[in-house]
Amino acid sequence: MQSRWRDADARKAIEVYGASGASESLALRVYTTQLLGRDPLLVLHGGGNTSLKTEMTDLLGESHAVLCVKGSGRDMATIDPAGLPAVKLEPLRKLRQREALSDEDMLRVQRAYLLDPTAPSPSVEMLLHAFVPHAFVDHTHANAVLGLIDQPSGEELAREVYGARLGFVPYRRPGFGLAKAAAEVFDADPSVEGLILDKHGIFTFGGSAREAYERMIEMVTLAEQRLQRGRKRIFASASLPSRVAEVAEVAPILRGACSLPDGAIEGAWRRLLLEFRTSDAILAFVNSRDVARIAGAGVTTPDHTIRTKGWPLIVPAPAAGKLADFKRDAGKAVQDFIAGYQAYFARNNARVGGGRIMLDCAPRVILVPGLGLIGLGRTKADARIAADIAESAVHTIADAEAIGEYRSIGEADMFDCEYWPPEQIKLARSTEPPLAGQVVAVTGAGGAIGAATARAFAAAGAEVALLDVDAGAAEAKARAIGTSALAVACDVTDAASVRAGFDKVVQTYGGVDIVVSNAGAAWQGRIGEVDEAVLRKSFELNFYGHQRVAQAAVRIMLAQGTGGCLLFNVSKQAVNPGPNFGPYGLPKAATLFLVRQYAVDYGADGIRANAVNADRIRSGLLTDDFIKARSQARGASEKDYMSGNLLQREVTAEDVAQAFLHQALELKTTGDVTTVDGGNIAAALR
Ligand SMILES: [Zn+2]
């Protein structure tokens, strides 16, 4: 591992952060914190922290010795000076005299001595930073170090590699007890350049930002070099089916099996998003004969329990063409996992005297022999984090096994991290948006109504896939929503394109729960004279397009077995023909019937089918030119045409999006048509 320190970058940091009032040492503290945070071999998703001891003045102009320490939950890769809140150092040091500090008091301490009471809470590892004297302290959960110390002989290996340069602290849960234990190890030999925290990570110290950082790089490099020596062959492969099923077939089955009924509302499911990963290293791991032992041994560092739970779900290899068997076996594996998790909770909750709130029992990592691994989360971002951690663990465990035998902290220690009271408080306070965990696919999402609908569903907490025949338009609208939104090129008049589009949605999120079949276009012509080719073209898009999309969605929804929701943009033309608009209205009328047919045929599977009849929305379909033509056909001015309804209000794409959203949330409604047209008695349904 190479140092990424560059003098020019360091000077730049001093200049940039100095301009907003940061001292040179704080600016360099920020700079090397970013260097650590940007290397996933050192720091993953909040797993590390750094600090600086310096002087700062409060609002009274009085100077204090302070510890600037990484704020809890801050991302080291993008941290700025505000992400390292200053805490008065003396009271923290005095705390060392205490015998113990409860978790509740630890929470108070985190905020009690902040120089700025509006600053973020400092890291829970703050006291360890405070109890050693060095100006700069760096802490990571570097993979290579974990590969060395996550072993029964971790202490001997650490001594072999580091000698007396690093102190060795036996495992304790992060918090006051660990900080005290670490300080005692340090006091026993104050010449150490850092500390190894058994089964957890590494600290390095320095008089300057560069010294502490480059010590970290040096120590991790020594671990990397040791891991290259005396490696034995690992991970002999178990036997696999001759042909393994595709991810797009397997993911909905697993996603459905891991969805739990929402106890409060009939028909509601607590769903998760999936993130699939594969590589040669992952395959060697998941295909290994030893997978149950090595994956079941526990986490590589304790804070991973919050993201991945203590162990993954392992399912049988899915043989191609035998998905019914796989569905049965995977369902059983999930049920066993849940029962095991409940027993783990009950055992350990009793051990700590009760009172913990059980987290949801679904796995956060699934190992699929023959395919790879899957991270799960209530959002796509959380699923990615779980997958990142699981992928990283594959490498760490492989290294540990190659030079010895992988060993994690025990079950009780994992529980104490997973169910650490401050995490429980966060959980109790958190509220989720109404569509958390759900995947929505919107066709025609490059257009006005489709894009507004995708935005409305994303704002309600769903993950959204934007499908459009115009890939560029879908991409632009997806980017505007955020990094979790997916753009998919999809032509709904082409069965293969629909199939490929939905496969991509499934590969990305694991399945689909709500489909807004919105793609459409208008053709005009007097029905007695119109060319049959025009009518067929319109049917291809405005009827068969909806049918293809609905069919693709139903296939996935049935594999998941957790119901679903099909929503169709039908248009008021389906019930109220406009002059010379037959080529558009006729297939839309057939689509209105299609909605009802899906409601009838799939109600027993919990799949709802509803439609929105919208009218006169400015969009790619209803362009200014088109509005001109239609208003002339009706003998009205353009303005009167657009707000020519009972409420005399122009109806917008956002109004239509809200109607789709309501239909998605109405779990007891199917076969419904919602009219969004400002009021038009001639088009009213009866
Ligand atoms: Zn740590």
Side-chain angles (χ1 to χ4, degrees):
M1 178 167 284
Q2 299 288 318
S3 167
R4 297 185 186 186
W5 176 283
R6 302 286 175 270
D7 287 336
D9 294 342
R11 279 195 299 274
K12 178 98 185 150
I14 292 167
E15 192 184 306
V16 170
Y17 300 123
S20 50
S23 66
E24 184 173 322
S25 56
L26 181 57
L28 292 175
R29 175 68 291 176
V30 169
Y31 170 57
T32 57
T33 302
Q34 291 170 351
L35 292 182
L36 294 171
R38 286 172 189 164
D39 189 341
L41 295 178
L42 293 172
V43 168
L44 264 187
H45 303 298
N49 40 65
T50 60
S51 68
L52 161 71
K53 296 182 187 75
T54 185
E55 296 265 324
M56 281 189 182
T57 51
D58 62 16
L59 288 170
L60 299 171
E62 288 172 2
S63 183
H64 298 271
V66 294
L67 178 77
C68 295
V69 62
K70 194 198 85 162
S72 180
R74 290 292 161 125
D75 180 354
M76 286 168 68
T78 56
I79 205 157
D80 59 10
L84 291 152
V87 189
K88 289 176 196 158
L89 191 53
E90 276 321 301
L92 296 186
R93 283 187 169 143
K94 279 185 195 156
L95 280 168
R96 205 183 146 187
Q97 295 155 13
R98 287 186 61 134
E99 278 303 308
L101 192 68
S102 69
D103 290 317
E104 291 71 22
D105 282 341
M106 184 69 203
L107 281 176
R108 292 190 181 94
V109 165
Q110 275 180 292
R111 299 211 57 82
Y113 310 115
L114 282 166
L115 210 59
D116 172 1
T118 65
S121 285
S123 161
V124 65
E125 279 163 339
M126 161 181 78
L127 289 179
L128 203 162
H129 289 261
F131 291 171
V132 295
H134 305 82
F136 291 83
V137 175
D138 293 16
H139 170 49
T140 72
H141 303 157
N143 278 10
V145 173
L146 294 174
L148 196 69
I149 61 177
D150 286 354
Q151 312 230 14
S153 58
E155 181 168 4
E156 289 150 50
L157 282 160
R159 297 238 181 271
E160 174 199 324
V161 171
Y162 301 118
R165 294 181 68 188
L166 298 180
F168 187 88
V169 186
Y171 181 80
R172 288 191 74 141
R173 194 194 77 191
F176 181 73
L178 174 63
K180 260 190 95 143
E184 279 157 25
V185 171
F186 174 81
D187 286 350
D189 180 5
S191 72
V192 294
E193 297 163 60
L195 299 169
I196 290 288
L197 271 47
D198 193 24
K199 312 283 186 282
H200 173 161
I202 175 171
F203 277 77
T204 54
F205 311 140
S208 68
R210 183 171 187 171
E211 185 178 47
Y213 166 72
E214 291 193 334
R215 268 190 185 147
M216 178 66 71
I217 301 302
E218 185 194 353
M219 299 303 171
V220 174
T221 304
L222 289 171
E224 286 175 338
Q225 289 165 351
R226 178 58 186 86
L227 291 173
Q228 291 313 312
R229 289 201 300 273
R231 287 177 81 93
K232 59 179 192 270
R233 276 183 63 88
I234 50 165
F235 299 163
S237 181
S239 66
L240 290 172
S242 55
R243 231 162 45 80
V244 177
E246 303 281 330
V247 175
E249 298 172 308
V250 168
I253 293 172
L254 290 174
R255 182 163 182 261
C258 293
S259 298
L260 308 173
D262 184 324
I265 309 158
E266 192 181 359
W269 292 85
R270 192 178 157 80
R271 298 170 166 105
L272 298 165
L273 284 309
L274 273 54
E275 165 83 3
F276 175 72
R277 300 281 171 86
T278 194
S279 68
D280 289 348
I282 291 172
L283 283 172
F285 187 92
V286 299
N287 295 348
S288 161
R289 258 184 247 157
D290 293 330
V291 66
R293 173 182 67 82
I294 53 179
V299 292
T300 58
T301 187
D303 74 351
H304 288 179
T305 52
I306 295 159
R307 296 297 194 168
T308 63
K309 299 192 186 291
W311 60 92
L313 165 70
I314 305 170
V315 294
K322 294 186 177 165
L323 290 169
D325 292 352
F326 178 71
K327 190 169 186 173
R328 184 196 61 226
D329 295 346
K332 168 85 169 59
V334 172
Q335 291 314 310
D336 290 349
F337 181 94
I338 289 171
Y341 188 82
Q342 286 167 337
Y344 152 84
F345 176 81
R347 262 193 316 274
N348 287 284
N349 191 37
R351 176 180 56 79
V352 299
R356 299 290 199 269
I357 312 160
M358 188 164 69
L359 304 168
D360 89 48
C361 302
R364 289 297 182 274
V365 177
I366 307 176
L367 306 184
V368 190
L371 277 186
L373 67 80
I374 295 170
L376 298 92
R378 281 288 275 173
T379 62
K380 180 64 180 170
D382 280 350
R384 280 188 189 131
I385 291 173
D388 284 348
I389 290 173
E391 191 171 354
S392 167
V394 160
H395 294 280
T396 300
I397 294 171
D399 280 340
E401 287 277 310
I403 65 158
E405 183 190 343
Y406 176 64
R407 177 72 56 86
S408 171
I409 54 176
E411 171 184 297
D413 288 325
M414 285 200 289
F415 180 89
D416 290 347
C417 292
E418 191 179 359
Y419 285 89
W420 187 51
E423 287 294 333
Q424 294 259 291
I425 292 167
K426 261 194 246 169
L427 184 77
R429 283 183 191 154
S430 68
T431 52
E432 285 191 318
L435 290 178
Q438 303 220 37
V439 179
V440 182
V442 182
T443 69
I449 292 174
T453 302
R455 281 196 301 274
F457 278 91
E463 305 294 345
V464 291
L466 293 89
L467 283 64
D468 202 289
V469 68
D470 179 347
E475 188 63 50
K477 306 291 187 200
R479 263 204 309 273
I481 289 172
T483 53
S484 290
L486 173 74
V488 184
C490 179
D491 176 359
V492 300
T493 65
D494 174 356
S497 176
V498 171
R499 171 84 194 210
F502 275 84
D503 277 358
K504 190 162 178 208
V505 173
V506 170
Q507 285 154 1
T508 304
Y509 300 111
V512 71
D513 307 298
I514 299 164
V515 169
V516 184
S517 186
N518 165 69
W523 281 269
Q524 300 188 74
R526 210 169 167 204
I527 197 66
E529 296 145 58
V530 71
D531 190 341
E532 187 177 313
V534 170
L535 201 53
R536 284 189 184 278
K537 211 169 170 184
S538 183
F539 260 91
E540 203 53 59
L541 176 60
N542 291 317
F543 173 73
Y544 285 106
H546 291 291
Q547 163 63 356
R548 282 183 202 100
V549 165
Q551 245 180 7
V554 161
R555 185 176 53 80
I556 298 162
M557 289 171 181
L558 291 177
Q560 291 175 151
T562 54
C565 180
L566 304 172
L567 301 173
F568 298 83
N569 186 347
V570 162
S571 158
K572 74 108 208 182
Q573 293 299 327
V575 292
N576 175 223
N580 300 334
F581 223 13
Y584 182 56
L586 281 161
K588 285 292 193 178
T591 299
L592 180 62
F593 197 90
L594 184 76
V595 175
R596 293 169 172 172
Q597 197 66 54
Y598 271 99
V600 168
D601 286 352
Y602 294 98
D605 297 296
I607 298 173
R608 300 178 294 117
N610 295 306
V612 170
N613 274 0
D615 192 23
R616 289 183 212 178
I617 318 293
R618 278 182 207 276
S619 65
L621 190 149
L622 203 55
T623 59
D624 291 344
D625 283 351
F626 201 88
I627 290 165
K628 199 173 188 177
R630 291 311 304 158
S631 56
Q632 277 168 5
R634 297 227 174 208
S637 75
E638 285 176 43
K639 185 181 177 299
D640 286 348
Y641 175 73
M642 289 311 287
S643 57
N645 54 48
L646 297 176
L647 296 170
Q648 297 177 8
R649 292 173 188 158
E650 183 175 339
V651 183
T652 66
E654 282 71 24
D655 297 322
V656 181
Q658 289 304 317
F660 280 129
L661 184 57
H662 280 288
Q663 288 184 329
L665 292 168
E666 288 165 349
L667 294 180
K668 311 286 169 77
T669 297
T670 191
D672 174 57
V673 182
T674 295
T675 300
V676 187
D677 62 4
N680 176 354
I681 285 300
L685 290 154
R686 66 187 86 188

